[in-house]
Coordinates of all heavy atoms in Angstrom, one line a residue:
D1 N 5.1 -25.1 -24.4 CA 3.9 -25.1 -25.3 C 3.1 -23.9 -25.0 O 2.4 -23.7 -24.0 CB 3.3 -26.5 -24.9 CG 1.8 -26.6 -24.8 OD1 1.2 -26.3 -23.8 OD2 1.3 -27.2 -25.8
G2 N 3.3 -22.9 -26.0 CA 2.6 -21.6 -25.8 C 1.1 -21.7 -25.8 O 0.5 -20.9 -25.2
E3 N 0.6 -22.7 -26.5 CA -0.9 -22.8 -26.6 C -1.5 -23.1 -25.2 O -2.5 -22.6 -24.8 CB -1.3 -23.9 -27.6 CG -2.8 -24.0 -27.8 CD -3.4 -22.8 -28.4 OE1 -2.7 -22.1 -29.2 OE2 -4.6 -22.5 -28.1
A4 N -0.7 -23.9 -24.4 CA -1.2 -24.3 -23.1 C -1.3 -23.1 -22.2 O -2.2 -23.0 -21.4 CB -0.3 -25.3 -22.5
N5 N -0.5 -22.1 -22.3 CA -0.5 -21.0 -21.5 C -1.6 -20.0 -21.9 O -2.0 -19.1 -21.1 CB 0.8 -20.2 -21.5 CG 1.9 -21.0 -20.7 OD1 1.6 -21.7 -19.8 ND2 3.1 -20.8 -21.2
C6 N -2.2 -20.2 -23.0 CA -3.2 -19.3 -23.5 C -4.6 -19.8 -23.2 O -5.6 -19.2 -23.4 CB -3.1 -19.1 -25.0 SG -1.6 -18.1 -25.5
G7 N -4.7 -21.1 -22.7 CA -6.0 -21.7 -22.4 C -6.7 -20.9 -21.4 O -6.2 -20.3 -20.5
T8 N -8.0 -21.0 -21.4 CA -8.8 -20.4 -20.3 C -9.4 -21.4 -19.4 O -9.5 -22.6 -19.7 CB -10.0 -19.6 -21.0 OG1 -10.9 -20.5 -21.7 CG2 -9.5 -18.5 -21.8
A9 N -9.7 -21.0 -18.2 CA -10.4 -21.8 -17.2 C -11.7 -21.1 -16.9 O -11.7 -19.9 -16.7 CB -9.5 -22.0 -16.0
T10 N -12.8 -21.8 -16.8 CA -14.0 -21.3 -16.4 C -14.3 -21.8 -15.0 O -14.2 -23.0 -14.7 CB -15.2 -21.7 -17.3 OG1 -14.9 -21.3 -18.6 CG2 -16.5 -21.1 -16.9
S11 N -14.6 -20.9 -14.1 CA -14.9 -21.3 -12.7 C -16.2 -20.7 -12.3 O -16.6 -19.6 -12.7 CB -13.8 -20.8 -11.7 OG -12.6 -21.4 -11.9
S12 N -17.0 -21.5 -11.6 CA -18.3 -21.0 -11.1 C -18.3 -21.2 -9.6 O -17.6 -22.1 -9.1 CB -19.4 -21.8 -11.8 OG -19.4 -23.1 -11.5
T13 N -19.0 -20.3 -9.0 CA -19.1 -20.4 -7.5 C -20.4 -19.9 -7.1 O -21.1 -19.1 -7.7 CB -18.0 -19.6 -6.8 OG1 -18.0 -19.8 -5.4 CG2 -18.1 -18.1 -7.1
I14 N -20.9 -20.4 -6.0 CA -22.1 -19.9 -5.3 C -21.6 -18.9 -4.3 O -20.8 -19.2 -3.4 CB -22.9 -21.0 -4.7 CG1 -23.4 -21.9 -5.7 CG2 -24.1 -20.4 -3.9 CD1 -24.2 -23.1 -5.2
V15 N -22.0 -17.6 -4.5 CA -21.6 -16.5 -3.6 C -22.8 -16.0 -3.0 O -23.7 -15.4 -3.6 CB -20.9 -15.4 -4.5 CG1 -20.5 -14.3 -3.5 CG2 -19.7 -15.9 -5.2
G16 N -23.0 -16.3 -1.7 CA -24.2 -16.0 -1.0 C -25.3 -16.7 -1.7 O -25.3 -18.0 -1.7
N17 N -26.3 -16.1 -2.3 CA -27.3 -16.7 -3.0 C -27.1 -16.7 -4.5 O -28.0 -16.9 -5.3 CB -28.7 -16.1 -2.7 CG -29.0 -16.3 -1.2 OD1 -28.7 -17.3 -0.7 ND2 -29.7 -15.3 -0.6
F18 N -25.9 -16.3 -5.0 CA -25.6 -16.1 -6.4 C -24.8 -17.2 -6.9 O -23.9 -17.7 -6.2 CB -24.9 -14.8 -6.6 CG -25.6 -13.6 -6.1 CD1 -25.4 -13.0 -4.9 CD2 -26.6 -13.0 -6.9 CE1 -26.0 -11.9 -4.5 CE2 -27.3 -11.9 -6.5 CZ -27.0 -11.3 -5.3
L19 N -25.0 -17.6 -8.1 CA -24.1 -18.5 -8.9 C -23.4 -17.6 -9.9 O -24.1 -16.9 -10.7 CB -24.9 -19.6 -9.6 CG -24.0 -20.5 -10.5 CD1 -23.0 -21.3 -9.6 CD2 -24.9 -21.5 -11.2
A20 N -22.1 -17.5 -9.8 CA -21.4 -16.6 -10.7 C -20.4 -17.5 -11.5 O -19.9 -18.5 -11.0 CB -20.6 -15.6 -9.9
E21 N -20.2 -17.0 -12.7 CA -19.3 -17.7 -13.6 C -18.3 -16.7 -14.1 O -18.7 -15.6 -14.5 CB -20.0 -18.4 -14.8 CG -19.2 -19.2 -15.7 CD -20.0 -19.9 -16.7 OE1 -20.4 -21.1 -16.4 OE2 -20.2 -19.4 -17.8
A22 N -17.0 -17.1 -14.2 CA -16.0 -16.2 -14.6 C -15.0 -17.0 -15.6 O -14.8 -18.2 -15.4 CB -15.2 -15.6 -13.5
H23 N -14.5 -16.3 -16.5 CA -13.5 -16.9 -17.4 C -12.2 -16.2 -17.2 O -12.1 -15.0 -17.3 CB -14.0 -16.7 -18.9 CG -15.3 -17.2 -19.2 ND1 -15.5 -18.6 -19.4 CD2 -16.6 -16.7 -19.2 CE1 -16.8 -18.8 -19.6 NE2 -17.5 -17.7 -19.4
V24 N -11.2 -17.0 -16.9 CA -9.8 -16.5 -16.7 C -8.8 -17.3 -17.4 O -9.2 -18.5 -17.8 CB -9.5 -16.4 -15.2 CG1 -10.3 -15.4 -14.4 CG2 -9.6 -17.8 -14.5
Y25 N -7.7 -16.8 -17.6 CA -6.6 -17.6 -18.3 C -5.9 -18.5 -17.2 O -5.9 -18.1 -16.0 CB -5.6 -16.7 -18.9 CG -6.1 -15.9 -20.1 CD1 -6.5 -14.6 -20.0 CD2 -6.2 -16.6 -21.3 CE1 -7.1 -14.0 -21.1 CE2 -6.7 -16.0 -22.4 CZ -7.2 -14.7 -22.3 OH -7.7 -14.0 -23.4
R26 N -5.4 -19.6 -17.6 CA -4.7 -20.5 -16.7 C -3.5 -19.8 -16.0 O -3.1 -20.1 -15.0 CB -4.2 -21.8 -17.4 CG -5.4 -22.6 -17.8 CD -5.1 -23.9 -18.4 NE -3.9 -24.0 -19.1 CZ -3.4 -25.1 -19.7 NH1 -4.2 -26.2 -19.7 NH2 -2.3 -25.1 -20.3
S27 N -2.9 -18.8 -16.7 CA -1.8 -18.1 -16.1 C -2.2 -17.0 -15.2 O -1.4 -16.4 -14.5 CB -0.9 -17.5 -17.3 OG -1.7 -16.7 -18.1
D28 N -3.5 -16.6 -15.2 CA -4.0 -15.6 -14.2 C -3.9 -16.2 -12.8 O -3.7 -17.4 -12.6 CB -5.5 -15.3 -14.5 CG -5.6 -14.4 -15.7 OD1 -4.6 -13.8 -16.2 OD2 -6.8 -14.3 -16.2
T29 N -4.0 -15.3 -11.8 CA -3.9 -15.7 -10.5 C -5.2 -16.0 -9.8 O -6.3 -15.6 -10.4 CB -3.2 -14.6 -9.6 OG1 -4.0 -13.5 -9.6 CG2 -1.8 -14.3 -10.1
V30 N -5.2 -16.7 -8.7 CA -6.5 -16.9 -7.9 C -7.1 -15.5 -7.6 O -8.3 -15.4 -7.6 CB -6.2 -17.8 -6.7 CG1 -7.4 -17.9 -5.8 CG2 -5.7 -19.2 -7.1
L31 N -6.3 -14.5 -7.3 CA -6.8 -13.2 -7.0 C -7.5 -12.7 -8.2 O -8.6 -12.1 -8.0 CB -5.7 -12.3 -6.6 CG -6.1 -10.8 -6.3 CD1 -7.1 -10.7 -5.2 CD2 -4.8 -10.0 -6.0
D32 N -7.0 -12.9 -9.4 CA -7.7 -12.4 -10.6 C -9.1 -13.1 -10.7 O -10.1 -12.5 -11.1 CB -6.9 -12.8 -11.9 CG -5.6 -12.0 -12.0 OD1 -5.6 -10.8 -11.5 OD2 -4.6 -12.5 -12.5
L33 N -9.1 -14.4 -10.4 CA -10.4 -15.2 -10.4 C -11.3 -14.6 -9.4 O -12.5 -14.5 -9.6 CB -10.1 -16.7 -10.1 CG -11.3 -17.5 -9.9 CD1 -12.2 -17.5 -11.2 CD2 -10.9 -19.0 -9.6
R34 N -10.8 -14.3 -8.2 CA -11.7 -13.8 -7.1 C -12.3 -12.5 -7.5 O -13.5 -12.2 -7.4 CB -10.9 -13.6 -5.8 CG -11.7 -13.2 -4.7 CD -11.1 -13.5 -3.3 NE -9.8 -13.1 -3.1 CZ -9.4 -12.1 -2.3 NH1 -10.2 -11.4 -1.7 NH2 -8.1 -11.9 -2.2
K35 N -11.5 -11.6 -8.2 CA -12.0 -10.3 -8.7 C -13.1 -10.5 -9.8 O -14.1 -9.9 -9.8 CB -10.9 -9.5 -9.2 CG -10.0 -8.9 -8.1 CD -8.8 -8.1 -8.6 CE -7.9 -7.6 -7.5 NZ -6.8 -6.9 -8.1
A36 N -12.8 -11.5 -10.7 CA -13.7 -11.8 -11.8 C -15.0 -12.3 -11.2 O -16.1 -11.9 -11.7 CB -13.1 -12.7 -12.8
L37 N -15.0 -13.2 -10.3 CA -16.2 -13.7 -9.7 C -17.0 -12.7 -8.9 O -18.2 -12.6 -8.9 CB -15.9 -14.9 -8.8 CG -15.5 -16.2 -9.5 CD1 -14.9 -17.2 -8.5 CD2 -16.6 -16.8 -10.2
S38 N -16.2 -11.8 -8.2 CA -16.9 -10.7 -7.5 C -17.6 -9.8 -8.5 O -18.8 -9.4 -8.2 CB -15.8 -9.9 -6.8 OG -16.3 -8.8 -6.1
D39 N -17.0 -9.5 -9.6 CA -17.6 -8.6 -10.6 C -18.9 -9.3 -11.2 O -19.9 -8.7 -11.4 CB -16.7 -8.3 -11.7 CG -15.6 -7.3 -11.3 OD1 -15.7 -6.7 -10.2 OD2 -14.6 -7.2 -12.1
A40 N -18.7 -10.6 -11.5 CA -19.8 -11.4 -12.1 C -21.0 -11.5 -11.2 O -22.2 -11.5 -11.6 CB -19.3 -12.8 -12.5
A41 N -20.8 -11.6 -9.9 CA -21.8 -11.7 -8.9 C -22.4 -10.3 -8.5 O -23.4 -10.3 -7.8 CB -21.4 -12.5 -7.7
G42 N -21.6 -9.3 -8.8 CA -22.1 -7.9 -8.4 C -21.9 -7.7 -6.9 O -22.6 -6.9 -6.3
I43 N -20.8 -8.3 -6.4 CA -20.6 -8.2 -4.9 C -19.2 -7.5 -4.8 O -18.2 -7.9 -5.4 CB -20.6 -9.5 -4.2 CG1 -22.0 -10.1 -4.3 CG2 -20.1 -9.5 -2.8 CD1 -22.1 -11.6 -3.9
A44 N -19.1 -6.5 -3.9 CA -17.9 -5.7 -3.8 C -16.7 -6.5 -3.3 O -15.6 -6.4 -3.8 CB -18.1 -4.5 -2.9
H45 N -16.9 -7.4 -2.3 CA -15.7 -8.1 -1.7 C -16.1 -9.6 -1.5 O -17.2 -9.9 -1.0 CB -15.3 -7.5 -0.4 CG -15.0 -6.1 -0.5 ND1 -13.8 -5.6 -1.0 CD2 -15.7 -5.0 -0.1 CE1 -13.8 -4.3 -1.0 NE2 -15.0 -3.9 -0.4
L46 N -15.2 -10.5 -1.8 CA -15.3 -11.9 -1.6 C -14.2 -12.4 -0.7 O -13.1 -11.9 -0.7 CB -15.3 -12.7 -2.9 CG -16.4 -12.5 -3.8 CD1 -16.1 -13.4 -5.1 CD2 -17.7 -12.9 -3.2
S47 N -14.5 -13.4 0.1 CA -13.4 -14.0 1.0 C -12.5 -14.8 0.1 O -12.7 -14.9 -1.2 CB -14.1 -14.9 2.0 OG -14.7 -16.0 1.4
Q48 N -11.6 -15.5 0.7 CA -10.7 -16.3 -0.1 C -11.4 -17.4 -0.9 O -12.5 -17.8 -0.4 CB -9.7 -17.0 0.8 CG -8.7 -16.0 1.5 CD -7.8 -16.6 2.5 OE1 -8.2 -17.4 3.3 NE2 -6.5 -16.2 2.4
I49 N -10.9 -17.8 -2.0 CA -11.4 -18.8 -2.8 C -11.0 -20.2 -2.2 O -9.9 -20.4 -1.9 CB -10.9 -18.7 -4.3 CG1 -11.3 -17.4 -4.8 CG2 -11.4 -19.9 -5.1 CD1 -12.8 -17.2 -5.3
S50 N -12.0 -21.1 -2.2 CA -11.7 -22.5 -1.8 C -12.1 -23.4 -2.9 O -13.1 -23.2 -3.6 CB -12.4 -22.9 -0.5 OG -12.1 -22.0 0.6
D51 N -11.4 -24.6 -3.0 CA -11.9 -25.6 -3.9 C -13.0 -26.4 -3.2 O -13.3 -26.1 -2.0 CB -10.7 -26.5 -4.4 CG -10.1 -27.3 -3.3 OD1 -10.7 -27.5 -2.2 OD2 -9.0 -27.8 -3.6
L52 N -13.6 -27.4 -3.9 CA -14.7 -28.1 -3.3 C -14.3 -29.0 -2.1 O -15.2 -29.5 -1.4 CB -15.4 -28.8 -4.4 CG -16.2 -27.9 -5.4 CD1 -16.9 -28.8 -6.4 CD2 -17.1 -27.0 -4.7
T53 N -13.0 -29.2 -1.9 CA -12.6 -30.0 -0.7 C -12.5 -29.1 0.5 O -12.2 -29.6 1.6 CB -11.3 -30.7 -1.0 OG1 -10.2 -29.8 -1.1 CG2 -11.3 -31.6 -2.2
G54 N -12.6 -27.8 0.3 CA -12.5 -26.8 1.4 C -11.1 -26.2 1.5 O -10.8 -25.4 2.3
K55 N -10.1 -26.7 0.6 CA -8.8 -26.1 0.7 C -8.8 -24.7 0.1 O -9.2 -24.4 -1.0 CB -7.9 -27.0 -0.2 CG -6.5 -26.5 -0.3 CD -5.7 -27.3 -1.3 CE -4.4 -26.7 -1.6 NZ -3.8 -27.2 -2.8
V56 N -8.2 -23.8 1.0 CA -8.1 -22.4 0.6 C -7.0 -22.2 -0.5 O -5.9 -22.8 -0.3 CB -7.9 -21.5 1.8 CG1 -7.6 -20.0 1.4 CG2 -9.0 -21.5 2.8
L57 N -7.3 -21.6 -1.6 CA -6.4 -21.4 -2.6 C -5.7 -20.0 -2.5 O -6.3 -19.0 -2.4 CB -7.1 -21.4 -4.0 CG -7.9 -22.7 -4.2 CD1 -8.6 -22.6 -5.6 CD2 -7.0 -23.9 -4.1
A58 N -4.4 -20.0 -2.4 CA -3.6 -18.8 -2.2 C -3.7 -17.8 -3.3 O -3.7 -18.3 -4.5 CB -2.1 -19.1 -1.9
D59 N -4.0 -16.6 -3.0 CA -4.2 -15.6 -4.1 C -3.1 -15.5 -5.1 O -3.3 -15.1 -6.2 CB -4.4 -14.2 -3.4 CG -5.8 -14.0 -2.9 OD1 -6.7 -14.7 -3.3 OD2 -6.0 -13.1 -2.1
H60 N -1.8 -15.7 -4.7 CA -0.7 -15.5 -5.6 C -0.5 -16.6 -6.6 O 0.2 -16.5 -7.5 CB 0.6 -15.3 -4.8 CG 1.1 -16.6 -4.1 ND1 0.5 -17.0 -2.9 CD2 2.0 -17.5 -4.4 CE1 1.1 -18.1 -2.5 NE2 2.0 -18.4 -3.4
L61 N -1.2 -17.8 -6.4 CA -1.0 -18.9 -7.3 C -1.7 -18.7 -8.6 O -2.7 -18.0 -8.7 CB -1.6 -20.2 -6.6 CG -0.9 -20.8 -5.4 CD1 -1.7 -22.0 -4.9 CD2 0.5 -21.2 -5.7
S62 N -1.1 -19.2 -9.6 CA -1.8 -19.2 -10.9 C -3.0 -20.1 -10.9 O -3.0 -21.0 -10.0 CB -0.8 -19.6 -12.1 OG -0.5 -21.0 -12.0
I63 N -3.9 -20.0 -11.8 CA -5.0 -20.9 -11.8 C -4.6 -22.3 -12.0 O -5.0 -23.2 -11.3 CB -6.0 -20.5 -13.0 CG1 -6.6 -19.1 -12.7 CG2 -7.1 -21.5 -13.2 CD1 -7.4 -18.9 -11.5
E64 N -3.6 -22.5 -12.9 CA -3.0 -23.8 -13.1 C -2.4 -24.4 -11.9 O -2.6 -25.5 -11.5 CB -2.1 -23.7 -14.3 CG -1.6 -25.1 -14.8 CD -0.8 -25.0 -16.1 OE1 -0.1 -24.0 -16.3 OE2 -0.9 -25.9 -16.9
A65 N -1.5 -23.6 -11.2 CA -0.8 -24.0 -10.0 C -1.8 -24.4 -8.9 O -1.5 -25.2 -8.0 CB 0.2 -23.0 -9.6
A66 N -2.9 -23.7 -8.9 CA -3.9 -24.0 -7.8 C -4.7 -25.3 -8.1 O -5.5 -25.7 -7.2 CB -4.9 -22.8 -7.7
G67 N -4.5 -25.9 -9.3 CA -5.1 -27.1 -9.6 C -6.5 -27.0 -10.2 O -7.2 -27.9 -10.3
L68 N -6.8 -25.7 -10.6 CA -8.1 -25.5 -11.2 C -8.1 -25.8 -12.7 O -7.0 -25.5 -13.4 CB -8.6 -24.1 -11.0 CG -8.8 -23.7 -9.5 CD1 -9.2 -22.2 -9.4 CD2 -9.9 -24.6 -8.9
Q69 N -9.1 -26.3 -13.3 CA -9.2 -26.6 -14.7 C -10.4 -26.0 -15.3 O -11.2 -25.4 -14.6 CB -9.2 -28.2 -14.9 CG -7.9 -28.8 -14.3 CD -8.0 -30.3 -14.4 OE1 -8.8 -30.9 -15.0 NE2 -7.1 -31.0 -13.7
M70 N -10.6 -26.3 -16.5 CA -11.8 -25.8 -17.2 C -13.1 -26.3 -16.4 O -13.2 -27.4 -16.0 CB -11.8 -26.4 -18.6 CG -12.9 -25.8 -19.5 SD -12.4 -24.1 -19.9 CE -13.3 -23.8 -21.3
H71 N -14.0 -25.4 -16.2 CA -15.3 -25.7 -15.5 C -15.1 -26.1 -14.0 O -15.9 -26.8 -13.5 CB -16.1 -26.7 -16.2 CG -16.4 -26.3 -17.6 ND1 -17.3 -25.2 -17.9 CD2 -16.0 -26.8 -18.8 CE1 -17.3 -25.1 -19.3 NE2 -16.5 -26.0 -19.8
S72 N -14.0 -25.6 -13.4 CA -13.8 -25.9 -12.0 C -14.9 -25.2 -11.2 O -15.3 -24.1 -11.5 CB -12.5 -25.5 -11.5 OG -11.4 -26.2 -12.1
E73 N -15.3 -25.8 -10.1 CA -16.2 -25.1 -9.2 C -15.4 -24.8 -7.9 O -14.6 -25.5 -7.4 CB -17.4 -26.0 -8.8 CG -18.3 -26.2 -10.0 CD -19.5 -27.0 -9.6 OE1 -19.9 -27.0 -8.4 OE2 -20.1 -27.7 -10.5
V74 N -15.7 -23.6 -7.4 CA -15.0 -23.1 -6.2 C -16.1 -22.4 -5.3 O -17.2 -22.1 -5.7 CB -13.9 -22.1 -6.5 CG1 -12.7 -22.8 -7.3 CG2 -14.4 -20.9 -7.3
T75 N -15.7 -22.1 -4.1 CA -16.6 -21.4 -3.2 C -15.9 -20.2 -2.6 O -14.7 -20.1 -2.6 CB -17.0 -22.3 -2.0 OG1 -15.8 -22.7 -1.2 CG2 -17.7 -23.6 -2.4
A76 N -16.8 -19.2 -2.3 CA -16.3 -18.0 -1.7 C -17.5 -17.4 -0.9 O -18.6 -17.7 -1.2 CB -15.9 -17.0 -2.8
T77 N -17.2 -16.6 0.1 CA -18.2 -16.0 0.9 C -18.2 -14.5 0.7 O -17.1 -13.9 0.7 CB -18.0 -16.3 2.4 OG1 -17.9 -17.7 2.5 CG2 -19.1 -15.8 3.3
P78 N -19.4 -13.9 0.5 CA -19.4 -12.4 0.4 C -19.0 -11.8 1.7 O -19.4 -12.3 2.8 CB -20.8 -12.1 0.0 CG -21.6 -13.3 0.3 CD -20.7 -14.5 0.4
I79 N -18.3 -10.7 1.6 CA -17.9 -9.9 2.8 C -18.8 -8.6 2.8 O -18.6 -7.8 1.8 CB -16.4 -9.6 2.8 CG1 -15.6 -10.9 2.9 CG2 -16.1 -8.7 4.0 CD1 -14.2 -10.7 2.7
S80 N -19.6 -8.5 3.8 CA -20.5 -7.3 3.7 C -19.9 -6.0 4.3 O -20.3 -4.9 3.9 CB -21.8 -7.6 4.5 OG -21.5 -7.9 5.8
E81 N -18.9 -6.2 5.2 CA -18.3 -5.0 5.7 C -16.8 -5.2 5.8 O -16.3 -6.3 6.3 CB -18.8 -4.7 7.1 CG -18.4 -3.4 7.7 CD -19.0 -3.2 9.1 OE1 -19.6 -4.1 9.7 OE2 -19.0 -2.0 9.5
V82 N -16.0 -4.3 5.3 CA -14.6 -4.4 5.3 C -14.1 -3.4 6.3 O -14.3 -2.2 6.2 CB -14.0 -4.1 3.9 CG1 -12.5 -4.2 3.9 CG2 -14.6 -5.0 2.9
V83 N -13.4 -3.9 7.3 CA -12.8 -3.1 8.4 C -11.3 -3.3 8.5 O -10.8 -4.4 8.1 CB -13.5 -3.3 9.7 CG1 -15.0 -2.9 9.7 CG2 -13.3 -4.7 10.2
I84 N -10.7 -2.3 9.0 CA -9.2 -2.4 9.3 C -9.0 -2.0 10.8 O -9.6 -1.1 11.3 CB -8.4 -1.4 8.4 CG1 -8.6 -1.8 6.9 CG2 -7.0 -1.4 8.8 CD1 -8.0 -0.8 6.0
A85 N -8.1 -2.8 11.4 CA -7.8 -2.4 12.8 C -6.4 -1.9 12.8 O -5.5 -2.4 12.1 CB -7.9 -3.7 13.7
S86 N -6.1 -0.8 13.5 CA -4.8 -0.3 13.7 C -4.5 -0.1 15.1 O -5.4 0.2 15.9 CB -4.6 1.0 12.9 OG -5.5 2.0 13.4
G87 N -3.3 -0.2 15.5 CA -2.9 0.0 16.9 C -1.5 0.7 17.0 O -0.8 0.7 16.0
S88 N -1.2 1.1 18.2 CA 0.1 1.8 18.4 C 0.6 1.6 19.8 O -0.1 1.0 20.6 CB 0.0 3.3 18.0 OG -0.9 3.9 18.9
A89 N 1.7 2.2 20.1 CA 2.3 2.0 21.5 C 1.5 2.7 22.6 O 1.7 2.4 23.7 CB 3.7 2.6 21.4
D90 N 0.5 3.5 22.2 CA -0.4 4.1 23.3 C -1.5 3.2 23.8 O -2.3 3.6 24.5 CB -1.0 5.4 22.8 CG -2.0 5.2 21.6 OD1 -2.2 4.1 21.2 OD2 -2.5 6.2 21.1
C91 N -1.4 1.9 23.4 CA -2.3 0.9 23.8 C -3.8 1.1 23.4 O -4.7 0.6 24.0 CB -2.3 0.7 25.4 SG -0.7 0.2 25.9
E92 N -4.0 1.8 22.3 CA -5.3 2.0 21.7 C -5.4 1.2 20.4 O -4.4 1.2 19.6 CB -5.6 3.4 21.5 CG -5.8 4.2 22.8 CD -6.3 5.6 22.6 OE1 -6.2 6.1 21.5 OE2 -6.8 6.1 23.6
V93 N -6.5 0.6 20.1 CA -6.8 0.0 18.9 C -8.0 0.7 18.2 O -9.0 1.0 18.9 CB -7.2 -1.5 19.0 CG1 -7.6 -2.1 17.7 CG2 -6.0 -2.3 19.7
W94 N -7.8 1.1 17.0 CA -8.8 1.8 16.3 C -9.4 0.9 15.2 O -8.6 0.2 14.5 CB -8.2 3.1 15.6 CG -7.7 4.1 16.6 CD1 -6.6 4.0 17.4 CD2 -8.3 5.4 16.8 NE1 -6.5 5.2 18.1 CE2 -7.6 6.0 17.8 CE3 -9.4 6.0 16.3 CZ2 -7.9 7.3 18.3 CZ3 -9.7 7.3 16.8 CH2 -9.0 7.9 17.8
I95 N -10.7 0.9 15.1 CA -11.4 0.1 14.1 C -11.9 1.0 13.0 O -12.7 2.0 13.4 CB -12.5 -0.8 14.7 CG1 -12.1 -1.5 15.9 CG2 -13.2 -1.7 13.6 CD1 -11.0 -2.6 15.6
W96 N -11.6 0.8 11.8 CA -11.9 1.7 10.7 C -12.8 1.0 9.7 O -12.6 -0.1 9.3 CB -10.7 2.2 10.0 CG -9.7 2.9 10.8 CD1 -8.6 2.3 11.5 CD2 -9.6 4.3 11.1 NE1 -7.9 3.3 12.2 CE2 -8.5 4.5 12.0 CE3 -10.4 5.4 10.8 CZ2 -8.2 5.7 12.5 CZ3 -10.1 6.6 11.3 CH2 -9.0 6.8 12.1
D97 N -13.7 1.8 9.1 CA -14.5 1.4 7.9 C -13.5 1.6 6.7 O -13.1 2.7 6.4 CB -15.7 2.2 7.7 CG -16.5 1.9 6.5 OD1 -15.9 1.6 5.4 OD2 -17.8 1.9 6.6
A98 N -13.1 0.5 6.1 CA -12.1 0.6 5.1 C -12.6 1.3 3.8 O -11.7 1.9 3.1 CB -11.6 -0.8 4.7
E99 N -13.8 1.3 3.6 CA -14.3 2.0 2.4 C -14.6 3.5 2.6 O -14.2 4.3 1.8 CB -15.6 1.3 1.8 CG -15.3 -0.1 1.3 CD -16.6 -0.8 0.8 OE1 -17.7 -0.4 1.2 OE2 -16.4 -1.7 0.0
A100 N -15.2 3.8 3.7 CA -15.5 5.2 4.0 C -14.3 6.0 4.7 O -14.3 7.2 4.7 CB -16.7 5.3 4.9
G101 N -13.4 5.2 5.3 CA -12.3 5.8 6.0 C -12.7 6.4 7.4 O -12.0 7.1 8.0
A102 N -13.9 6.0 7.9 CA -14.4 6.5 9.1 C -14.0 5.6 10.3 O -14.0 4.4 10.1 CB -15.9 6.7 9.1
C103 N -13.8 6.2 11.4 CA -13.5 5.4 12.6 C -14.8 4.8 13.2 O -15.7 5.6 13.4 CB -12.8 6.3 13.7 SG -12.4 5.4 15.2
L104 N -14.8 3.5 13.4 CA -16.0 2.9 13.9 C -16.0 2.7 15.4 O -17.0 2.7 16.1 CB -16.2 1.5 13.2 CG -16.4 1.5 11.7 CD1 -16.3 0.0 11.2 CD2 -17.6 2.2 11.3
D105 N -14.8 2.5 15.9 CA -14.6 2.3 17.4 C -13.2 2.5 17.8 O -12.3 2.4 17.0 CB -15.0 0.8 17.7 CG -15.4 0.6 19.1 OD1 -15.3 1.6 19.9 OD2 -15.8 -0.5 19.5
R106 N -13.0 2.7 19.0 CA -11.7 2.9 19.6 C -11.6 2.1 20.9 O -12.5 2.2 21.8 CB -11.4 4.4 19.9 CG -10.0 4.6 20.4 CD -9.7 6.1 20.4 NE -10.0 6.5 21.8 CZ -9.9 7.8 22.2 NH1 -9.6 8.7 21.3 NH2 -10.2 8.1 23.4
L107 N -10.7 1.1 21.0 CA -10.5 0.3 22.1 C -9.3 0.7 22.9 O -8.2 0.8 22.4 CB -10.4 -1.2 21.7 CG -11.5 -1.7 20.7 CD1 -11.1 -3.1 20.2 CD2 -12.8 -1.7 21.4
R108 N -9.5 1.0 24.2 CA -8.4 1.5 25.0 C -7.8 0.4 25.8 O -8.5 -0.6 26.2 CB -8.9 2.6 25.9 CG -9.3 3.8 25.1 CD -9.6 5.0 26.0 NE -9.8 6.2 25.2 CZ -10.9 6.9 25.3 NH1 -11.8 6.7 26.2 NH2 -11.0 8.0 24.5
A109 N -6.5 0.6 26.2 CA -5.8 -0.4 27.0 C -5.7 -1.8 26.4 O -5.9 -2.8 27.1 CB -6.4 -0.4 28.4
H110 N -5.4 -1.8 25.2 CA -5.2 -3.2 24.5 C -3.8 -3.3 24.1 O -3.3 -3.0 23.2 CB -6.2 -3.3 23.4 CG -7.6 -3.7 23.8 ND1 -8.2 -3.0 24.8 CD2 -8.4 -4.6 23.4 CE1 -9.4 -3.6 25.0 NE2 -9.6 -4.5 24.2

């Protein structure tokens, strides 16, 4: 049923102090929904999307496979700082600001 795959789902979430609403297709992924909600709320990064029972929805699932329907409510938490940790055989761990590319800290003997 081609029409079923063309349907849209509207999801709303409270992100920090924001209520955001996004429209996505049922065949879109949870990651697409997370990006749409991030854009709608004007927040650069959101944590994983959870349904109202607290179940984390995997980014690779389609909206339909994740069990979301029209006017579903989900939750997400804004991420204020995005960092990356890298390590190597020299027993050092480097903490990086993912957006600026700057080293924030270096941990030795780890």
Side-chain angles (χ1 to χ4, degrees):
D1 141 280
E3 186 64 32
N5 289 332
C6 293
T8 62
T10 302
S11 290
S12 59
T13 188
I14 295 176
V15 180
N17 295 327
F18 301 97
L19 175 65
E21 183 173 273
H23 303 278
V24 292
Y25 292 100
R26 294 184 331 180
S27 59
D28 285 345
T29 64
V30 172
L31 178 60
D32 294 327
L33 173 61
R34 184 158 49 109
K35 289 177 181 178
L37 288 169
S38 178
D39 289 345
I43 296 172
H45 304 285
L46 293 178
S47 68
Q48 294 177 316
I49 299 283
S50 299
D51 65 16
L52 291 183
T53 68
K55 176 184 167 196
V56 174
L57 306 177
D59 281 342
H60 70 279
L61 292 177
S62 70
I63 298 300
E64 187 172 35
L68 298 177
Q69 300 174 13
M70 190 72 160
H71 302 291
S72 292
E73 292 184 25
V74 295
T75 61
T77 303
I79 299 172
S80 60
E81 187 174 18
V82 180
V83 297
I84 298 172
S86 64
S88 63
D90 64 1
C91 297
E92 290 187 342
V93 176
W94 294 71
I95 310 297
W96 302 91
D97 178 322
E99 292 180 340
C103 179
L104 300 173
D105 200 358
R106 185 171 92 182
L107 309 172
R108 294 191 173 126
H110 281 48

